């Protein structure tokens, strides 16, 4: 298929683009490089520099695109609380512009990058797709709003859409050309890269809160390897059916605490990574664990890489960059 990957110079978008190329698809990456890196665009993909608002329509028309994988978004929970307008504009406004461009060009399918943040503070875990969406940040709210729009565009314009709600993505992937594709955010807020950055630097890592109602007092999350996550996108692409909008959680179904993650990082790196306890980070739910039963039943997808594999690959990536 001829595919458009928006945000394909970013962490997850670049790994998905690499897997799509390896599966034999023709890929165009559209990215404004506001947070992505041009050197992360996998070799073999065409690259268009621009925002989805300004550039998506032309790319869709010119390349006769069969499906869009839509990653381009602002994705920092804390920033979204400080600047909600940016999130509504980029995430909802940008996606609406993309959907309009798809309608005009007759592009029939979209796979949308969504998040566990749509659920907010869950009432129960593991979280199922039918559980209420009560986002606690403008970031999560903007992603819920896109889901509402996708349902309408499927019903009223006949597009086929799949939303994938990611839990905590970690790890890195080696592309066919030997380069490592991994997480390079600035600022970096995610746990695994922060812990690995603390390995060997002597600075260590801060644990945001150890007084949560969890077994060791630190937050529990469901970590998923970016390679497993990318595989789910390829399956979702095949599951876009005209007039339907499907929603799937993507996680391992197992929870690990912040302290457990740090311990795995120590084992994998061989470094004694110092950890100090800092105050809670506002808005962090105590436990987020996915039920991924629906995607397993419908698309036969199941995460196959464990936390150790995620940390080992993220470590390889960070070593390769050093
Ligand atoms: N943490 C630390 N120290 C750090 C970084 C993180 O203790 O240096 C803790 C956080 O407080 C949290 C856990 O590690 O308890 C995981 O934090 P991340 O920032 O790695 O991930 P989040 O769970 O906050 O974020 C994920 C997704 C977001 C999504 C959010 C929903 O990455 O896209 O869940 O809550 F919005």
């Amino acid at each position: 298929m001829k595919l458009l990957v928006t945000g394909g110079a970013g962490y997850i978008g670049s790994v998905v683009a690499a897997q799509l190329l390896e599966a034999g698809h023709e890929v165009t990456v559209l990215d404004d490089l506001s947070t992505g890196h041009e050197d992360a665009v996998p070799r073999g993909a065409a690259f268009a520099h621009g925002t989805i608002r300004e550039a998506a329509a032309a790319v869709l028309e010119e390349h006769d695109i069969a499906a869009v994988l839509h990653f381009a978004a602002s994705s920092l929970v804390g920033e979204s609380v400080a600047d909600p307008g940016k999130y509504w504009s980029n995430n909802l406004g940008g996606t609406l512009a993309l959907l309009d461009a798809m309608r005009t060009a007759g592009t029939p399918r979209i796979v949308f990058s969504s998040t566990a943040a749509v659920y907010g503070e869950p009432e129960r875990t593991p979280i199922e797709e039918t559980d209420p969406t009560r986002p606690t940040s403008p970031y999560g709210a903007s992603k819920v709003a896109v889901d509402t729009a996708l349902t309408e565009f499927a019903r009223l314009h006949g597009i086929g859409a799949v939303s994938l709600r990611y839990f905590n993505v970690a790890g890195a992937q080696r592309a066919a050309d030997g380069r490592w594709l991994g997480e390079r955010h600035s600022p970096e807020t995610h746990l695994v890269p922060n812990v690995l950055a603390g390995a060997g630097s002597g600075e260590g890592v801060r644990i945001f809160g150890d007084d949560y109602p969890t077994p060791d007092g630190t937050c529990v999350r469901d970590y998923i390897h970016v390679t497993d996550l990318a595989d789910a996108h390829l399956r979702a692409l095949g599951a876009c059916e005209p007039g339907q909008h499907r929603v799937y959680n993507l996680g391992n179904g197992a929870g690990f605490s912040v302290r457990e993650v740090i311990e795995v990082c120590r084992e994998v790196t061989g470094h004694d990574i110092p950890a100090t306890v800092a105050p809670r980070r506002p808005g962090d739910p105590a436990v987020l664990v996915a039920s991924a039963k629906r995607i397993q039943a419908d698309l036969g997808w199941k995460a196959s890489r464990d936390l150790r594999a995620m940390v080992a690959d993220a470590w390889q990536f960070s070593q390769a960059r050093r």
Side-chain angles (χ1 to χ4, degrees):
M1 276 196 245
K2 287 186 171 180
L3 304 171
L4 171 61
V5 178
T6 74
Y11 169 41
I12 298 170
S14 65
V15 174
V16 173
Q19 278 199 19
L20 292 168
L21 288 163
E22 281 165 38
H25 295 289
E26 212 173 292
V27 174
T28 299
V29 164
L30 172 62
D31 201 299
D32 68 1
L33 301 179
S34 57
T35 56
H37 308 272
E38 192 169 349
D39 64 4
V41 176
R43 280 189 201 121
F47 177 60
H49 183 201
T51 64
I52 34 181
R53 269 204 191 85
E54 288 158 7
V59 175
L60 290 172
E61 294 283 357
E62 193 183 319
H63 295 273
D64 190 20
I65 297 290
V68 178
L69 294 105
H70 180 34
F71 300 92
S74 299
S75 63
L76 296 171
V77 174
E79 183 190 56
S80 81
V81 175
D83 188 2
K86 174 176 175 181
Y87 280 69
W88 286 106
S89 173
N90 286 351
N91 295 0
L92 180 60
T95 305
L96 289 176
L98 175 65
L99 288 170
D100 274 336
M102 286 174 61
R103 258 192 79 202
T104 306
T107 313
R109 303 175 192 85
I110 181 166
V111 176
F112 175 59
S113 172
S114 187
T115 168
V118 299
Y119 296 111
E121 186 79 48
E123 274 168 17
R124 58 166 190 174
T125 55
I127 301 169
E128 296 190 1
E129 292 85 347
T130 46
D131 287 355
T133 49
R134 296 196 193 110
T136 50
S137 67
Y139 169 60
S142 70
K143 293 282 183 172
V144 174
V146 170
D147 271 354
T148 307
L150 289 174
T151 302
E152 299 281 87
F153 271 69
R155 189 168 65 89
L156 300 169
H157 296 308
I159 65 162
V162 176
S163 295
L164 299 174
R165 293 177 177 168
Y166 315 155
F167 281 63
N168 288 61
V169 189
Q173 181 176 304
R174 197 167 204 159
D177 61 16
R179 285 183 308 151
W180 280 95
L181 300 171
E183 208 166 351
R184 273 196 274 165
H185 298 123
S186 180
E188 184 54 77
T189 61
H190 290 148
L191 180 64
V192 171
N194 275 357
V195 179
L196 294 178
S201 73
E203 283 177 22
V205 63
R206 286 183 302 157
I207 297 173
F208 297 135
D210 68 347
D211 57 352
Y212 285 94
T214 59
D216 68 14
T218 65
C219 288
V220 170
R221 293 289 182 272
D222 183 339
Y223 294 88
I224 171 171
H225 197 296
V226 69
T227 301
D228 285 335
L229 188 90
D231 172 49
H233 287 73
L234 273 76
R235 291 169 192 253
L237 192 56
C240 289
E241 286 177 42
Q244 278 195 26
H245 175 216
R246 300 190 193 190
V247 174
Y248 294 113
N249 286 342
L250 288 181
N252 264 308
F256 290 89
S257 73
V258 172
R259 284 199 192 279
E260 286 172 324
V261 171
I262 296 171
E263 201 44 50
V264 172
C265 292
R266 287 178 179 138
E267 286 165 18
V268 166
T269 63
H271 288 279
D272 173 28
I273 305 163
T276 50
V277 177
R280 286 185 179 198
R281 199 171 62 175
D284 276 343
V287 180
L288 284 176
V289 176
S291 162
K293 282 190 193 142
R294 184 188 274 186
I295 190 165
Q296 186 175 359
D298 286 5
L299 308 186
W301 178 88
K302 197 174 186 308
S304 62
R305 293 162 181 85
D306 63 10
L307 182 61
R308 180 172 287 272
M310 294 174 220
V311 171
D313 288 342
W315 182 236
Q316 292 268 359
F317 168 74
S318 78
Q319 295 291 92
R321 287 208 58 77
R322 276 178 204 178

